[in-house]
Amino acid sequence: MNDRPDGYDYPAEVVGTIDQDDRVSYSIAAQAITASGVDMIWLQHEYGIFGGSAGEHILYLLDQTDLPLATHVHTVLSDPDPDQRRVMERLVARSARLIVMSTLGRDLLISHYGARPDQVAVIPHGIPDRSFGETATMKARFGFGNRPVILTFGLLSPGKGIDTMIAAMPTIVAAQPDALYVVLGATHPNLVAHEGEAYRDRLIAQTEKLGVSDNVRFIDAFVETDELLDYIAAADIYVTPYLNPAQVTSGTLAYAVGLGKVVVSTPYVHARELLADGVGELVPFGDSAAFADIISGLLSDPARMATLAARTYALGRTMIWPRLAEASLAAFSGLAGPKIAAPKVSSPIMRTIGTAAITRMTDDTGMFQHSRLGVPDRAHGYCIDDNARALIWAVRATGVEPEKRAKWLATYSGFIDGAWNPALATFRNFMAFDRRWLEDRGSDDSVGRTMWALGVTAAESDDASLREWAMGLYEQALPTAAKIESIHARAFIILGGAAVLAKSEHRFTRQLLERFAGELASLVAAERRPDWAWFEIVLAYDNCRLPEALIAAGRVLDRKDWVQTGLATLDWIAEKQTSERGHFRPVGHESFGREYAEPLPFDQQPLEAWATIDACAAALSVTNDAKWRDRALSAWRWYLGDNDVGVPLGDPATGECFDGLHPTCVNRNRGAESILSFQLAAQAMAAIMPRENRALHLAAA
């Protein structure tokens, strides 16, 4: 990486460089890496190395190559800012393997960023291979004589706890008058920019006030690794008095262990893990008395010092660079080989799904149908399909701010109520922006989706008035719904009717479901071939709604045969929607209408992923078979980047969702159907995730 105009004088092993803030440079590097014939990419990730917000430019490189990626994550933040979270989630999504240096780092990647447990390897911080017993030689080199040396290294800043150790020195000196505390390192550049050397001056003043200025030596210098190792070798005790409990890694702590130093440290994450099992000593944060007591005791007990040093050096043998290389190569096993189109990604489901997209697409009339990029498209007005979906979402969005939710419920139900055409006893569909209905009668599908929304509202709404309205309009429209022939529209009607019957008996609904579901089940037998177990001779849109409807009807009507047919057909379509690599690949729009043909991959629509998740949730409810949760999770990950292009469509922060996936990119429009598919899929995922992982909130903060 070049972070300055004139670059660096790299050795011949370096075959290319990247200018930190130039995105084009990342693109050129991606092309060069791909052309070089390497098997995989091994990325060392640390915030601050790469350009862009939170180092996002490195994602631009990774998005332009399909090579398997292993990412060595040096810092895992428990409380990242939005940009840091976004970048890390994308890295997790893109990486086939993640390597961290501590168990806590692994836990954070899984719980905070959605990594899979089998995706993450823990490999301790690597260290140089240095011989044991160089202390006397190095003391002489630095002019420490035979004094007992206590060393701390690092850029000086208040978080390092240096003042805690200085406060311990009077007690240590009382027991060991010639003890020397060496503070090695320059002041942190950010601190220098803010207040110059005032912090260092305060520390020096502290030593003078305590009468230990002859026992504390400040070495104000940046030192390279080899010289740092020599300083550590000169120490008898290495101290890290850091004040941040969450510090996941410390390279210098690892170096001290590698050189067999006796270590005394506060119990931050890396120290707790590295110094477990009797290697080193831990003291409470900010406890000068504890530092004084332990260090004084160690310096007066050469036998214990020797025992600890031997244990520490033995541990260090497991961390030297050759061992790191071996462990890394083991972690890479299976990654090299055939190139993959996109990485595995685990869902960051422990997130709030924002509602900014809902707000953007809704006005006082209803939800706009389309958008041009992120701008509502008034030219295409509104449709009942989207407002029916929006009503289902709002009924289930119990975590949304009550005033917002009440307004949305009134808006979407009002649109549906106004769409009813009593003269023809059916629903209209399309409305212009000026509130003119553009037809007298909507499509069968629009009627089916509206009946679904009314059934769900009548059964699930927590508003008694809204339930009464929905049931009344549902009953008015039932005779029209009963005449519909389209099997997809019938599936929507079945879903609405099943919701009604799950709450109370309704004779006409029962009769309708018995007829519709029975005919739907019979289609499977009629169209069956050895390689084709489906309801039609073609694949189309909303495919998974067909088996979902059979499962739902079978459940409320106690027809186990329908449930089994629904499960079998869902199993069949799920296999069709699984790529060679194993990720979810919905039936593409190009596939529609091709008789007995294998599905084509593009264009992929968000609607299909939501339908799959709902159907898998229905299957899970009747079987309790975890494979259905796994399949739902695979479809959910499709929104988040585990897809053929490796690019996320959904944004959990805003609730936005792109309109589709093309062979090389996304459709960057964000219309109502896509947004609602993502939002409703999120609600379904929240309902089926195990309770210990269920932190997917559907309300905006």
Side-chain angles (χ1 to χ4, degrees):
M1 297 300 301
N2 283 335
D3 57 4
R4 62 187 189 186
D6 53 347
Y8 294 90
D9 184 19
Y10 289 116
E13 289 83 359
V14 176
V15 298
T17 60
I18 301 171
D19 294 330
Q20 185 181 56
D21 298 316
D22 181 8
R23 277 186 45 157
V24 174
S25 184
Y26 291 82
S27 179
I28 294 170
Q31 296 174 37
I33 291 167
T34 301
S36 71
V38 297
D39 295 312
M40 57 170 285
I41 295 171
W42 184 8
L43 173 69
Q44 304 294 320
H45 181 267
E46 178 64 276
Y47 293 107
I49 294 177
F50 309 107
S53 298
E56 66 181 353
H57 285 359
I58 190 60
L59 302 175
Y60 191 64
L61 183 156
L62 299 174
D63 285 345
Q64 297 185 59
T65 173
D66 61 1
L67 286 165
L69 172 69
T71 301
H72 216 123
V73 183
H74 289 250
T75 296
V76 188
L77 300 172
S78 60
D79 187 24
D81 65 34
D83 284 335
Q84 290 166 336
R85 175 181 286 280
R86 174 176 54 83
V87 170
M88 186 55 68
E89 285 180 350
R90 287 281 305 280
L91 279 174
V92 169
R94 176 63 176 85
S95 300
R97 190 79 74 246
L98 298 158
I99 298 173
V100 291
M101 302 179 209
S102 69
T103 302
L104 178 65
R106 177 182 185 275
D107 294 343
L108 287 174
L109 283 178
I110 293 169
S111 64
H112 285 51
Y113 300 97
R116 303 186 316 277
D118 65 343
Q119 190 181 5
V120 190
V122 179
I123 301 176
H125 195 297
I127 58 175
D129 187 2
R130 291 280 293 250
S131 58
F132 186 68
E134 301 176 317
T135 307
T137 302
M138 293 304 168
K139 280 185 180 181
R141 174 186 165 186
F142 295 118
F144 299 154
N146 293 321
R147 301 177 70 175
V149 174
I150 307 157
L151 175 68
T152 292
F153 167 78
L155 295 174
L156 264 63
S157 66
K160 292 298 177 67
I162 306 299
D163 52 340
T164 302
M165 257 306 299
I166 292 174
M169 285 306 294
T171 302
I172 295 171
V173 170
Q176 296 284 337
D178 57 347
L180 178 64
Y181 179 36
V182 177
V183 181
L184 173 63
T187 307
H188 197 290
N190 292 343
L191 202 60
V192 172
H194 179 67
E195 62 175 31
E197 292 292 349
Y199 177 66
R200 182 182 296 273
D201 292 340
R202 289 196 296 271
L203 293 177
I204 293 172
Q206 182 186 11
T207 67
E208 294 171 349
K209 181 179 179 180
L210 295 175
V212 292
S213 55
D214 291 337
N215 298 90
V216 179
R217 183 178 302 180
F218 293 91
I219 301 176
D220 182 2
F222 290 98
V223 294
E224 299 294 339
T225 301
D226 287 343
E227 188 174 8
L228 168 61
L229 294 171
D230 289 344
Y231 270 109
I232 295 174
D236 296 286
I237 296 176
Y238 189 78
V239 177
T240 54
Y242 305 155
L243 301 178
N244 179 12
Q247 182 158 341
V248 175
T249 58
S250 168
T252 55
L253 175 63
Y255 290 166
V257 168
L259 270 67
K261 297 292 113 177
V262 175
V263 178
V264 180
S265 176
T266 50
Y268 57 91
V269 171
H270 194 195
R272 285 202 313 270
E273 293 189 14
L274 193 57
L275 303 181
D277 301 323
V279 178
E281 298 279 0
L282 297 176
V283 300
F285 294 101
D287 192 337
S288 298
F291 272 111
D293 182 58
I294 287 176
I295 292 173
S296 297
L298 287 169
L299 292 177
S300 63
D301 189 348
R304 175 155 176 73
M305 287 277 289
T307 298
L308 285 174
R311 285 181 189 167
T312 306
Y313 191 71
L315 174 62
R317 296 298 85 200
T318 69
M319 298 162 54
I320 58 176
W321 294 124
R323 302 295 84 76
L324 171 71
E326 292 164 1
S328 299
L329 287 172
F332 301 158
S333 176
L335 300 190
K339 294 186 171 99
I340 55 176
K344 278 286 188 182
V345 55
S346 273
S347 160
I349 57 173
M350 292 149 289
R351 295 285 303 279
T352 294
I353 300 296
T355 56
I358 302 288
T359 300
R360 175 178 65 79
M361 289 295 288
T362 304
D363 67 2
D364 290 339
T365 300
M367 178 166 277
F368 288 104
Q369 187 177 184
H370 298 299
S371 75
R372 297 178 62 206
L373 297 178
V375 178
D377 183 0
R378 295 181 176 184
H380 287 88
Y382 317 85
C383 71
I384 200 170
D385 296 276
D386 293 327
N387 282 276
R389 296 184 187 102
L391 181 58
I392 295 174
W393 171 82
V395 165
R396 293 172 175 171
T398 54
V400 171
E401 183 181 326
E403 289 185 6
K404 287 185 177 181
R405 181 176 178 236
K407 182 177 180 179
W408 283 326
L409 285 168
T411 298
Y412 306 138
S413 60
F415 186 95
I416 291 171
D417 192 69
W420 177 250
N421 184 346
L424 299 178
T426 191
F427 293 98
R428 306 175 181 95
N429 189 5
F430 296 109
M431 175 188 276
F433 179 64
D434 61 4
R435 297 188 178 181
R436 286 181 300 110
W437 288 107
L438 300 178
E439 79 231 311
D440 294 327
R441 181 190 301 275
S443 66
D444 285 353
D445 279 354
S446 66
V447 172
R449 290 192 181 96
T450 305
M451 294 297 291
W452 178 18
L454 291 171
V456 168
T457 303
E460 298 181 18
S461 176
D462 53 11
D463 183 325
S465 172
L466 195 60
R467 292 198 303 272
E468 183 180 1
W469 162 82
M471 196 63 200
L473 191 52
Y474 172 86
E475 289 180 329
Q476 271 187 278
L478 266 176
T480 296
K483 300 173 184 177
I484 285 177
E485 298 293 332
S486 161
I487 66 169
H488 288 266
R490 284 184 168 191
F492 302 141
I493 294 167
I494 290 170
L495 292 173
V500 169
L501 289 178
K503 288 295 183 181
S504 61
E505 180 57 34
H506 194 274
R507 183 173 58 84
F508 194 5
T509 296
R510 175 177 286 273
Q511 292 172 350
L512 188 63
L513 260 64
E514 286 174 344
R515 178 162 66 90
F516 277 7
E519 292 176 4
L520 192 61
S522 68
L523 288 175
V524 178
E527 305 301 341
R528 183 179 293 277
R529 299 194 333 184
D531 60 345
W532 196 264
W534 196 238
F535 304 87
E536 305 174 278
I537 63 173
V538 299
L539 296 175
Y541 61 93
D542 255 338
N543 290 294
C544 287
R545 295 297 176 195
L546 301 175
E548 180 192 359
L550 264 188
I551 294 169
R555 186 175 189 182
V556 297
L557 299 177
D558 196 25
R559 287 293 302 267
K560 292 183 173 58
D561 55 333
W562 292 351
V563 170
Q564 290 306 313
T565 301
L567 292 171
T569 50
L570 182 58
D571 211 20
W572 184 85
I573 193 66
E575 291 297 326
K576 297 292 184 185
Q577 294 187 132
T578 302
S579 74
E580 301 83 0
R581 187 176 63 81
H583 64 266
F584 177 72
R585 176 189 285 160
V587 174
H589 186 271
E590 297 170 341
S591 299
F592 295 176
R594 300 170 66 244
E595 295 184 7
Y596 295 115
E598 288 297 308
L600 298 173
F602 297 102
D603 291 334
Q604 299 174 21
Q605 304 295 313
L607 192 72
E608 305 301 326
W610 167 39
T612 300
I613 290 169
D614 273 1
C616 290
L620 180 66
S621 71
V622 296
T623 65
N624 203 31
D625 186 340
K627 81 172 183 180
W628 298 113
R629 183 183 292 112
D630 292 341
R631 282 176 166 166
L633 190 56
S634 179
W636 172 246
R637 291 172 181 157
W638 177 87
Y639 289 109
L640 304 168
D642 194 8
N643 51 50
D644 285 295
V645 181
V647 177
L649 284 86
D651 178 5
T654 63
E656 297 279 8
C657 185
F658 292 129
D659 276 354
L661 198 66
H662 301 317
T664 60
C665 63
V666 295
N667 178 343
R668 298 188 65 80
N669 295 326
R670 285 155 273 170
E673 180 182 291
S674 303
I675 291 167
L676 288 165
S677 295
F678 181 52
Q679 294 273 353
L680 285 155
Q683 289 179 332
M685 289 304 303
I688 67 171
M689 289 305 294
R691 183 169 300 277
E692 62 270 18
N693 294 330
R694 192 187 304 162
L696 178 61
H697 306 295
L698 305 179

